[in-house]
Structure formats: structure tokens, C-alpha cells
Amino acid sequence: MFGPNVLVLSSLPTMFDNSKPITYTVDVPDVVHAVEFSPFEWSSKLIGVGTSSRVSVGICRFQEEDREIDGLEYEHLRDFHHGIRVTALAWSPETSLAVIPKILRFCTGGSDHKLRLISSDLKNDDSVKIIDGHTDYINAVTFDPSKGDQLASVSDDHTCRVWDTDGTQRICLPLGSPGMSVCWHRDDHMKIMVAEKNGIIRFYNLLNQQPIMSLDCGHAPLLSADWCLVDSLKVGAVVGTELHLFDTSMSSRPVERRSVHSDGGCLVKWAKNNEHLVATTGTPACQVKVINAKTNQIPVSSGLQISSGLSWHYRLPIVVVGGDRKLHFWSIDNT
């Protein structure tokens, strides 16, 4: 019923002691397998929710950016039939509701090992482009943030693949173990970061398809890594029970290691507007944690019945995690 990145607990209170409570909750029709805020300023109010058979798209308006709103105002825009479980989800920078016709474009990874590029004008013009090539579970997908004309994906098939949006495979990078995360450099569209389950993180030049540098976590399994948007010298990864933080200007080994989930981490994401805030999920107890690496405070350490997906709002210090037919949001003090 649940995918490998969905954490499930049979019985648990919804919050640990001394943790910031859930700020907002939105009901959704099904168990959440993936959730992503749009990471672009012009479409930052959009959120995509992947389930076992559909992708739901909505708009989130928060009182933190509009005082006329009481809490969170969620507007459901559209459901897109997916047929199979969503394993990964990414927004295209071409997405915009401010143009005519409107453009909604995102890519999913499915449990059938295929990518689906979905486009819509939110009226009558919908299209789905199936991209076939991976031979195992797709763990992550991301768009070239400059134009959105290419996307990259990593898989348990030990490859990172770069595709044109017409489905043409441009690059296939062989990996030494399953690819767990892939991130595109926000300012240099010829650089990507690929994190492998064996604990190695490499940065590639897509022009010559060669690694520029690598980071070594020192042990495995690495299940997730993220490239800081505010400071591209910083990388975070969850490896076993630990959170590893890298400063690539100083060392290829982590500059900081801290225990975060005693039974293992699952996902990690940097806040998109604050280089010090890092969110993680893991076990036991389907934990969600937010760590302030500057102050060493942990403003959030909560447990959910089910947790899957992890995403930060582009402008606001708000993090979302999927649950059992719910989206859970925490608003963090941005210091």
C-alpha cells in the first residue's frame, strides 16, 4: 500500500515535548507519497501532491505574506490522473498562472519506472509525455531551473539521466550505487549534483559529463541529499542516523555531523530562504525535525502517523510534510 519513502507508525501522539506544534493542516483525498512547493518565485504559491493514483495541484496563501488571510487559505486547482503511485515530483520553471494561457507543467516519477511530463492550461489542453528509460525505482527528478527545457532523474538502476522535455535522453551517467537525489545548480545550468546511496556525492559538468568534485560521507546508506539554494557551497545529507553538513569550500568531508533519527533518516531539505534551516524526516516515530544549524536549536521535532515528502516554501520559512490524507505545515521563526 505504501511506497518505500513513506514512513508508517501504528500508534503515536502527533507531537513530542518542547516542539513547535503543527501550524496548519490541509485535508487531501488520499495518502500522500510526494509533496512539492514550486521552487520558483513567480509560481511559489503552487503546491503539488502525489498519491497512489493522482497528482493534486493547489494554491497556498499564508497569513505570513498576506495579513488579510487568516492562517492558511488553500485553493484546490486540479487533479491529474496518474494511474500509479507517484515516487518523485518536480515543478518546471515554465509554470506560470500570470500568463495567458496559463501554463502548468511538472514531472513525476512513477512506480512503473517511467517519468511523466504533465502540462496543462487548466482548461481543455492537457498533455502527458511518458519518458521511458530507467529500469528501476526513480528516486528523484528535477528541472533545469533556467529554461525548463531539460530534466534530470536518478534511479535505483545506478544511473543519472538527463532528458530533453521531448523525451530524448541526452546523457546517462553511470553511478556506483543507486542514485538517491539530484539537484541542478540555480545559476549554472551546466552543473548538477548527484548523491548516491553509498555515501558519495558528485558534482558533474554536463558539457563533458565528467565529475568536477566529490564529497564523501564516510559511510552509508545515504538516502537523501540537498544543495543549499541560498549558499551553493553548502550541501546536506542524511546518512544512516546522522545529518551531514558540508561546506565545499573547506573540505570534501562533512564539517558537521549530528545524530538526528536514531533508526535512520529518510529525507533532507534546506530552507529556500535561509541557509541555516534544515528539515529532515526519519524514524522512529515518523519524525519530522527542523534544525537551525546556526543556533543549534531544534524548533520542530514532531511525530506523525504517516510521513512522506518534504518541501520548503520558496519565500517563507514554512515546511510541509505529507501524511495520511493530510498535509502538515510548520511555520518556523526565520532567525
Side-chain angles (χ1 to χ4, degrees):
M1 177 180 179
F2 301 110
N5 286 335
V6 178
L7 306 179
V8 183
L9 189 72
S10 57
S11 178
L12 178 82
T14 58
M15 191 182 72
F16 298 152
D17 292 340
N18 301 320
S19 173
K20 182 180 180 64
I22 295 169
T23 312
Y24 313 112
T25 299
V26 170
D27 293 329
V28 292
D30 203 351
V31 174
V32 177
H33 290 272
V35 58
E36 287 291 337
F37 280 118
S38 174
F40 306 103
E41 184 174 5
W42 52 91
S43 56
S44 60
K45 289 182 171 63
L46 289 170
I47 190 169
V49 181
T51 71
S52 60
S53 62
R54 77 182 88 186
V55 177
S56 297
V57 174
I59 294 176
C60 292
R61 300 181 180 92
F62 296 96
Q63 66 179 10
E64 285 83 353
E65 60 182 345
D66 187 344
R67 294 181 180 178
E68 295 183 0
I69 292 173
D70 182 15
L72 164 62
E73 183 180 280
Y74 178 78
E75 177 188 352
H76 178 257
L77 289 180
R78 184 77 174 273
D79 284 338
F80 294 88
H81 177 72
H82 199 262
I84 56 170
R85 177 166 46 86
V86 177
T87 65
L89 177 62
W91 285 98
S92 167
E94 295 178 287
T95 293
S96 177
L97 302 184
V99 298
I100 299 176
K102 296 177 181 178
I103 302 174
L104 202 66
R105 186 164 295 142
F106 56 90
C107 186
T108 64
S111 57
D112 60 354
H113 313 154
K114 301 181 192 301
L115 296 166
R116 286 167 173 80
L117 181 61
I118 300 172
S119 303
S120 174
D121 65 357
L122 294 178
K123 290 185 178 180
N124 302 314
D125 187 10
D126 294 351
S127 67
V128 179
K129 175 68 179 179
I130 296 178
I131 302 175
D132 199 354
H134 281 299
T135 59
D136 209 333
Y137 189 89
I138 297 170
N139 292 307
V141 61
T142 187
F143 278 88
D144 169 4
S146 61
K147 297 180 180 178
D149 57 351
Q150 290 188 318
L151 51 94
S153 55
V154 288
S155 166
D156 281 354
D157 66 8
H158 294 213
T159 67
C160 172
R161 301 175 191 241
V162 178
W163 319 80
D164 287 342
T165 50
D166 65 2
T168 302
Q169 180 178 294
R170 291 298 181 185
I171 297 171
C172 181
L173 300 171
L175 307 178
S177 67
M180 304 307 296
S181 298
V182 59
C183 302
W184 220 299
H185 194 286
R186 180 52 64 102
D187 300 316
D188 187 346
H189 70 281
M190 285 293 107
K191 293 180 182 177
I192 62 170
M193 185 197 82
V194 178
E196 299 185 38
K197 196 171 186 177
N198 61 9
I200 301 298
I201 303 170
R202 290 188 177 90
F203 301 84
Y204 289 90
N205 183 326
L206 295 180
L207 283 175
N208 58 21
Q209 302 179 32
Q210 295 298 313
I212 304 167
M213 67 175 297
S214 63
L215 308 175
D216 187 356
C217 294
H219 65 281
L222 181 157
L223 294 188
S224 176
D226 195 28
W227 201 351
C228 182
L229 182 63
V230 179
D231 183 353
S232 61
L233 295 175
K234 294 184 177 182
V235 172
V238 283
V239 189
T241 63
E242 295 179 338
L243 170 65
H244 289 200
L245 299 179
F246 294 84
D247 183 333
T248 58
S249 68
M250 297 176 60
S251 173
S252 63
R253 302 301 295 268
V255 295
E256 183 177 348
R257 294 169 55 173
R258 64 174 75 197
S259 179
V260 284
H261 302 287
S262 60
D263 286 349
C266 184
L267 295 171
V268 60
K269 294 285 185 179
W270 288 98
K272 291 183 171 62
N273 70 339
N274 188 321
E275 63 185 279
H276 304 300
L277 292 178
V278 185
T280 64
T281 64
T283 56
C286 299
Q287 290 175 339
V288 180
K289 290 191 176 184
V290 175
I291 297 136
N292 188 317
K294 181 180 179 181
T295 65
N296 287 321
Q297 293 179 328
I298 303 177
V300 173
S301 182
S302 292
L304 302 172
Q305 297 292 332
I306 296 173
S307 71
S308 184
L310 179 66
S311 185
W312 287 90
H313 192 277
Y314 177 78
R315 286 197 300 265
L316 303 172
I318 292 177
V319 65
V320 61
V321 175
D324 185 3
R325 297 175 176 83
K326 293 183 183 299
L327 298 175
H328 303 290
F329 301 82
W330 286 264
S331 180
I332 314 298
D333 182 17
N334 198 5
T335 57

